[in-house]
Amino acid sequence: MAKLVAKKMLQLVLVVFLVTLFTFMLVRVKPGEPEDLLVPLSSVGTTQEAKDIIEKKKDGIRADLDLDKPLYQQYVLWMSDFARGDLGNFYAVSSERPVSDRVKDSLPVSLQLMIYAQLMALVIAIPMGVYSAYRANRPVDKVANTTAFGMLAMPNFALGLVLAYYVGVVLGWVPPTGYTSPEVDLVRHLKTMFLPALSLAVGQIAVYMRLLRSDMIQTLQEDFILMAKSKGISNARVLWRHALRPSSLTLLTVAGLNVGALIGGAVVIEVVFALPGMGALIAESILTNQYVALQSCVAIIAIGYVLINFLLDFVYSILDPRIRNVRAAG
Amino acid sequence: MSALPAETDVSLAPAGPGTSDQAAAEASPRKRRAFGIGALLAMGWLGLITVLAVLAPVLPLDDPLESVGAIARKGPGSAPGHILGGDSIGRDMLSRTIHGARASLLVGVTAVLIGLLIGGAAGLLAGYFRGRFDTVLTGTFDILLAFPSLVLALALVAFLKAEPEAGTKGLSTVTIVIIALGIVSIPILARITRANTLTWAQREFVLAARAQGAKNSRIIIREVLPNVMPAMFSIALLGMAVAIIAEGGLSLLGVGVELPKPSWGNMIAEGRGSLRNAPHIVFVPAIAIFLTVLALNYMGDVIRTRFDVRESAL
Amino acid sequence: MKSGETLGLVGESGCGKSTTGKAIMQLPPPTSGRVIFEGTDLASLHGTDLRRLRSNVQMIFQDPISSLNPRRRVEDIVAEGLRIWGIGDKSVQLAKVDEALGTVGLDPDTAKGRRPHQFSGGQRQRISIARAVITDPKLIICDEPVSALDVSIQAQILNLLEDMKARYQLTLIFIAHDLAVVKNISDRVAVMYLGKLCEVAPPDQLYAQPAHPYTGALLDAIPVPDPTVRPHEQPTLSGDLPSPVNPPSGCRFRTRCPRAEERCAEEEPLMREIDSGQYVACHFPLIGDTAAPTESVGALQTQAAPTV
């Protein structure tokens, strides 16, 4: 077991290194000088005075990003700053604001959105999947399956806009866009998060439901289910206690695989519903050429994604002794 | 992004190449099932929009970039002569939707083609030759896969979106989106092709071909590729759907195909501002994306069940 | 091996029969030992020479499903060998395909356009045989060609192989775990244990008087179709097959051998001729000078039978 942990940790460190290196190179290798890209030259004017200001600014950025040093040193310095929570600055002509301030506000919003969506997806998908499997190939199952197939084809942003229009504008049940912090007003917070979370959840619901259905149809044909039934255990109990449990591992795996889609979806949904999360921050950084901020945000998301996968993989190998043994041996 | 189907349908197809022995047991020729009504509808829709997209410049449509009178924000049916109404500044929605199909389909098809050519070839070689080449390739792709795909696409778009140097024109936004989504699709397609190649390359007919003295290149093309093709094709269809959606996502983030040239994605992004009083500006392209993605997903499924495609080892 | 003979290669599963077959083709090349074909060491061949040589040696595989490409038509599968080497133009190739399919007992006109899944297991093995003989090879390695087939069809395929051998003057290496199958078709039989040959002899001689204890045990394991004969009270072979990656020292069979002595652990027995045409690698063979007849496994059988 200790060996497994050590091996996994080593893998984790390697992946984090490569992922951050890739992110770092993406911005540094970009054609053009970084300091040119960060300062919108046109906004100042063309007078001598303005040129001086820009030059001074550029010198400041160069020093800030250690651009005079060799590339590998730049990476090491960037990484050590990053690890200490210094995510660089937003560079504007007049001011410099640390990226970390914005990230501190944005990250919780994105996490809230993803957690709500994931919970919503599981709460809806599990009963649907179980019931579909129980009623396999009956009308209920067929309707559920067709619905799930349709859900998969609905882009979350399009769904988000449709929901925002009908539920938010036409019916007026919840605010169509905007964000309220839970500390300010919890009820309003949940109301504002409902539509974004639902838009994000729909695709996941379809995935989980279809998977759970096919998995459970197989489980229900196994002998131990017959055994349970013959002991006179009620249908509901057989379904929920005996049949669902073996499928939980599959569900967990797919949930892990889906985290990437969830993050990508959250980025877009935030923009659609004007939530001030990481996605909005990234979009803003790209549009205003704030590559330092972009680099930090992408690195944070990538590391987060790698960590989640690592944890899931780990939980998975603890839950399933077969995998634990195979992997430890290999 | 809606989930990449490639990543999610892991165990939906229990049938693998091995199960074809049942078919073999009956010596009579297997009757090919005719395509069902769903598949016909799907193919019909895909065919229709492809033809419309290709012929858009010669069709008698209004100029998609110019306002055509007082139809701004008029919904479908309320503007005579413009069945889908007008957009926020009075351009014909029908024309923009058809011209938008050009950009969206171009992005979908080309990005996946890049993925198929590079990722498919890499996966085929890695799965066939194994060894060090395989290790290096799988390792490289695993790094790309360590990013959420849309975030990677965003980072790549930002990378490619360089300020044009004096005197040169930078890459067009369509090209940027295609390259970014193409790169994102490479590791996914490589992975699936590799997994399929691994199972097929171990079969005895490959050994038989080598016993006959066939070169590796001949074996890969004649023996392995035809068997891996259905899986690649099925994933390619799903990939196109994902790429079309991804273009929409990038548009909403402001880095998709650049206005005023329409794509379904940027039409939705642009129409967002008029959602309150003219929701059709968003709904029309949204429905177009929905139907296209539905058709692509459906065809992907049809091919998969027809050819017993296995997507294991993902 | 002599040209024109059929060598049967037997042994329990996992002992390296198939690996030997593939090693002969250099698919992959063996890690040690040499394969000499018509005076050429195959390990010395590379690239085109090796590929050309492979076409002189063909293989027929065990699994009739896996050995034919499901996406190609039978015509293409059979013609592949000709096309690889550019033998003849299209019409010549087609004629050869027809001929080959005809000789293996398939109707060329109906078979050609079909795909492998439209055939039964026995028919598929016929296609495999047609594919193997079309390039006029000198040696065919049959890797358990009938073990996946019904017993009734096994005989047909075996007869077909015999016919082919006569018709094309083939040399056959016939790999099987079924001694009865091997007995009928082989001129000589080689018994293999953990990757090493332990006995080589003409089948009649081998079956009548096995020299190696392992051969004796194998023969004992053949079920006797006589209800009055009770299966042995004691298993003739106990224990698991040792790992072929890390075989026992000395004689590889000693861990399971009823006759093993100290010498067997220290010294690997060499192949020696014990009777005319019968070769054995054993320090204490069941027959000949050093064997004590009362201790033979064959004697055990006669003791067990009367207890009925």
Side-chain angles (χ1 to χ4, degrees):
Chain A
M1 197 64 199
K3 209 173 151 191
L4 177 79
V5 175
K7 200 179 155 192
K8 287 247 165 269
M9 290 302 262
L10 200 71
Q11 259 174 18
L12 179 73
V13 171
L14 187 70
V15 173
V16 167
F17 166 70
L18 291 170
V19 162
T20 49
L21 187 66
F22 181 83
T23 316
F24 170 80
M25 294 306 281
L26 210 54
V27 175
R28 293 293 154 102
V29 173
K30 198 169 151 49
E33 297 299 319
E35 68 271 22
D36 285 337
L37 298 171
L38 288 169
V39 181
L41 297 168
S42 51
S43 61
V44 190
T46 49
T47 59
Q48 189 54 43
E49 193 188 354
K51 276 181 188 160
D52 287 347
I53 293 173
I54 289 170
E55 272 314 310
K56 219 174 135 197
K57 192 83 209 166
K58 279 188 183 173
D59 286 341
I61 295 173
R62 254 181 233 128
D64 231 15
L65 300 181
D66 307 302
L67 290 180
D68 48 337
K69 299 198 172 72
L71 211 56
Y72 75 93
Q73 275 188 22
Q74 289 182 34
Y75 170 74
V76 172
L77 289 168
W78 173 66
M79 245 349 254
S80 57
D81 280 351
F82 186 87
R84 275 187 271 112
D86 176 1
L87 306 180
N89 293 315
F90 286 98
Y91 294 96
V93 179
S94 53
S95 67
E96 283 170 17
R97 284 167 307 134
V99 176
S100 51
D101 284 1
R102 288 288 300 280
V103 170
K104 224 175 286 164
D105 296 335
S106 305
L107 202 52
V109 178
S110 297
L111 289 177
Q112 284 160 4
L113 175 60
M114 286 192 284
I115 291 168
Y116 294 153
Q118 195 70 287
L119 285 177
M120 213 182 254
L122 289 173
V123 164
I124 299 172
I126 291 177
M128 262 174 83
V130 170
Y131 196 71
S132 273
Y134 177 55
R135 289 268 172 254
N137 294 322
R138 304 262 185 97
V140 185
D141 173 45
K142 286 192 172 149
V143 169
N145 239 325
T146 315
T147 316
F149 202 79
M151 285 173 172
L152 274 179
M154 197 72 189
N156 49 32
F157 53 85
L159 181 71
L161 288 169
V162 171
L163 287 174
Y165 178 72
Y166 281 109
V167 183
V169 178
V170 177
L171 299 171
W173 289 350
V174 293
T177 58
Y179 177 75
T180 310
S181 159
E183 286 129 41
V184 176
D185 182 345
L186 185 63
V187 176
R188 197 177 155 78
H189 166 76
L190 292 177
K191 271 185 166 179
T192 52
M193 292 302 272
F194 176 71
L195 290 183
L198 182 62
S199 319
L200 196 51
V202 163
Q204 318 275 319
I205 292 173
V207 172
Y208 294 151
M209 195 221 111
R210 275 162 53 117
L211 190 91
L212 193 58
R213 176 183 174 274
S214 66
D215 213 45
M216 269 193 67
I217 287 177
Q218 274 180 23
T219 313
L220 286 174
Q221 286 164 350
E222 299 213 15
D223 289 343
F224 73 90
I225 296 293
L226 197 67
M227 175 73 189
K229 278 186 187 164
S230 66
K231 279 195 288 189
I233 298 171
S234 72
N235 269 340
R237 203 178 153 81
V238 167
L239 278 178
W240 290 102
R241 294 299 300 257
H242 296 257
L244 184 59
R245 194 171 288 173
S247 296
S248 54
L249 272 179
T250 326
L251 215 55
L252 187 70
T253 319
V254 176
L257 287 171
N258 256 341
V259 171
L262 198 66
I263 293 173
V267 167
V268 180
I269 286 294
E270 281 169 11
V271 176
V272 168
F273 286 95
L275 303 177
M278 292 296 284
L281 187 56
I282 289 181
E284 185 193 317
S285 307
I286 293 179
L287 292 176
T288 53
N289 289 343
Q290 295 296 338
Y291 292 108
V292 176
L294 173 71
Q295 185 175 322
S296 296
C297 292
V298 170
I300 288 171
I301 291 178
I303 291 173
Y305 184 42
V306 170
L307 279 175
I308 291 172
N309 273 327
F310 170 77
L311 282 177
L312 279 172
D313 197 27
F314 200 68
V315 171
Y316 196 75
S317 44
I318 289 174
L319 286 180
D320 192 343
R322 278 170 309 172
I323 296 179
R324 188 165 68 217
N325 294 337
V326 170
R327 292 201 181 164
Chain B
M1 275 329 65
S2 93
L4 283 170
E7 290 179 1
T8 52
D9 285 357
V10 184
S11 62
L12 296 186
T19 49
S20 51
D21 14 338
Q22 285 158 355
E26 326 151 9
S28 69
R30 179 175 61 174
K31 285 223 175 76
R32 291 237 148 166
R33 270 161 287 139
F35 284 115
I37 180 94
L40 289 178
L41 282 173
M43 286 194 289
W45 170 258
L46 292 176
L48 178 73
I49 53 156
T50 310
V51 169
L52 287 177
V54 171
L55 297 182
V58 295
L59 290 175
L61 292 167
D62 295 315
D63 187 336
L65 307 180
E66 292 295 323
S67 178
V68 283
I71 58 163
R73 285 191 277 284
K74 288 247 168 72
S78 58
H82 305 278
I83 50 168
L84 292 180
D87 78 351
S88 51
I89 56 168
R91 293 172 296 197
D92 179 50
M93 280 300 287
L94 177 68
S95 169
R96 281 185 74 74
T97 307
I98 291 175
H99 278 89
R102 278 172 81 85
S104 288
L105 292 183
L106 186 72
V107 167
V109 171
T110 329
V112 168
L113 225 51
I114 291 175
L116 265 186
L117 286 180
I118 301 177
L124 204 58
L125 295 177
Y128 182 78
F129 289 109
R130 323 268 287 273
R132 194 167 294 164
F133 177 70
D134 183 23
T135 315
V136 171
L137 213 70
T138 314
T140 314
F141 289 155
D142 277 354
I143 295 168
L144 290 181
L145 288 169
F147 291 88
S149 31
L150 188 82
V151 175
L152 180 61
L154 269 173
L156 290 169
V157 167
F159 173 71
L160 295 164
K161 191 180 78 98
E163 299 286 310
E165 281 172 42
T168 61
K169 265 178 76 178
L171 295 171
S172 81
T173 48
V174 179
T175 319
I176 289 176
V177 170
I178 287 173
I179 296 175
L181 294 179
I183 293 176
V184 171
S185 72
I186 288 174
I188 299 164
L189 282 156
R191 201 174 241 221
I192 285 158
T193 314
R194 176 181 170 275
N196 270 280
T197 308
L198 276 179
T199 58
W200 286 106
Q202 280 161 7
R203 303 209 121 198
E204 282 176 341
F205 62 79
V206 170
L207 202 60
R210 294 179 70 186
Q212 285 180 312
K215 287 183 193 163
N216 283 327
S217 57
R218 189 180 174 99
I219 297 174
I220 291 176
I221 293 168
R222 301 259 173 138
E223 309 287 346
V224 180
L225 187 61
N227 286 296
V228 178
M229 271 305 229
M232 285 169 80
F233 192 54
S234 147
I235 297 300
L237 286 176
L238 303 180
M240 272 177 219
V242 173
I244 288 173
I245 293 177
E247 189 276 325
L250 292 176
S251 285
L252 277 158
L253 294 166
V255 292
V257 174
E258 202 165 26
L259 290 165
K261 187 182 173 163
S263 76
W264 289 341
N266 69 24
M267 287 171 73
I268 293 176
E270 193 191 20
R272 220 151 49 94
S274 323
L275 190 64
R276 241 166 234 282
N277 40 30
H280 74 279
I281 303 174
V282 166
F283 289 4
V284 169
I287 291 168
I289 292 188
F290 173 69
L291 290 177
T292 308
V293 170
L294 193 66
L296 286 169
N297 284 356
Y298 193 86
M299 288 315 295
D301 261 25
V302 167
I303 288 170
R304 198 168 49 194
T305 42
R306 223 173 138 139
F307 289 95
D308 287 343
V309 173
R310 180 199 292 216
E311 286 175 29
S312 58
L314 263 176
Chain C
M1 235 189 122
K2 292 178 224 115
S3 170
E5 98 176 318
T6 299
L7 176 73
L9 189 57
V10 295
E12 61 194 299
S13 53
C15 77
K17 305 182 301 273
S18 299
T19 312
T20 309
K22 288 169 189 168
I24 295 171
M25 307 282 308
Q26 311 284 307
L27 285 172
T31 46
S32 65
R34 293 192 302 161
V35 180
I36 313 286
F37 182 76
E38 297 188 330
T40 320
D41 183 353
L42 300 200
S44 67
L45 294 178
H46 294 285
T48 315
D49 291 338
L50 178 58
R51 291 197 296 112
R52 191 169 289 281
L53 182 117
R54 278 184 189 151
S55 67
N56 272 323
V57 185
Q58 283 298 306
M59 282 190 90
I60 296 167
F61 298 93
Q62 172 178 9
D63 181 358
I65 291 155
S66 169
S67 57
L68 300 176
N69 188 340
R71 294 257 173 271
R72 303 191 74 186
R73 291 179 307 132
V74 168
E75 181 189 326
D76 297 327
I77 291 172
V78 176
E80 182 73 6
L82 299 175
R83 293 189 189 154
I84 291 170
W85 298 106
I87 300 167
D89 57 10
K90 238 189 173 128
S91 58
V92 175
Q93 290 179 355
L94 279 182
K96 282 205 158 210
V97 169
D98 284 358
E99 187 201 325
L101 286 174
T103 50
V104 297
L106 292 171
D107 175 20
D109 295 326
T110 50
K112 271 195 299 189
R114 296 192 180 182
R115 283 171 210 277
H117 62 78
Q118 296 170 324
F119 294 89
S120 68
Q123 287 172 320
R124 284 164 180 238
Q125 283 308 56
R126 290 174 189 271
I127 297 169
S128 282
I129 294 170
R131 170 174 65 183
V133 296
I134 198 154
T135 46
D136 283 326
K138 303 199 169 79
L139 171 67
I140 294 187
I141 300 160
C142 309
D143 187 358
E144 308 217 15
V146 296
S147 56
L149 302 177
D150 285 351
V151 177
S152 57
I153 299 180
Q154 287 190 358
Q156 291 176 17
I157 297 295
L158 289 176
N159 288 337
L160 177 64
L161 280 171
E162 297 259 79
D163 294 348
M164 290 294 123
K165 187 187 159 193
R167 189 187 166 109
Y168 292 96
Q169 282 119 48
L170 296 169
T171 309
L172 293 182
I173 293 182
F174 195 93
I175 300 170
H177 58 252
D178 185 343
L179 285 159
V181 168
V182 171
K183 182 178 180 179
N184 295 328
I185 198 168
S186 307
D187 300 320
R188 280 200 299 163
V189 176
V191 181
M192 204 172 188
Y193 183 78
L194 276 185
K196 290 255 183 218
L197 289 181
C198 47
E199 183 166 2
V200 183
D204 293 336
Q205 213 168 333
L206 185 90
Y207 285 59
Q209 45 158 12
H212 198 282
Y214 179 61
T215 316
L218 273 185
L219 289 173
D220 267 5
I222 298 175
V224 183
D226 178 354
T228 60
V229 177
R230 236 297 175 93
H232 309 294
E233 305 289 325
Q234 282 176 298
T236 48
L237 270 192
S238 57
D240 284 333
L241 201 61
S243 159
V245 182
N246 186 20
S249 63
C251 173
R252 296 183 171 209
F253 186 56
R254 71 177 163 83
T255 51
R256 299 162 78 192
C257 183
R259 300 165 65 89
E261 290 180 21
E262 256 176 55
R263 188 179 164 202
C264 300
E266 287 155 11
E267 192 184 330
E268 187 170 342
L270 295 172
M271 195 62 106
R272 62 193 164 110
E273 186 163 14
I274 194 166
D275 200 348
S276 70
Q278 186 164 16
Y279 296 82
V280 70
C282 181
H283 296 304
F284 309 103
L286 299 173
I287 56 164
D289 41 12
T290 49
T294 47
E295 287 172 19
S296 75
V297 182
L300 275 176
Q301 188 181 9
T302 46
Q303 280 165 9
T307 57
V308 176

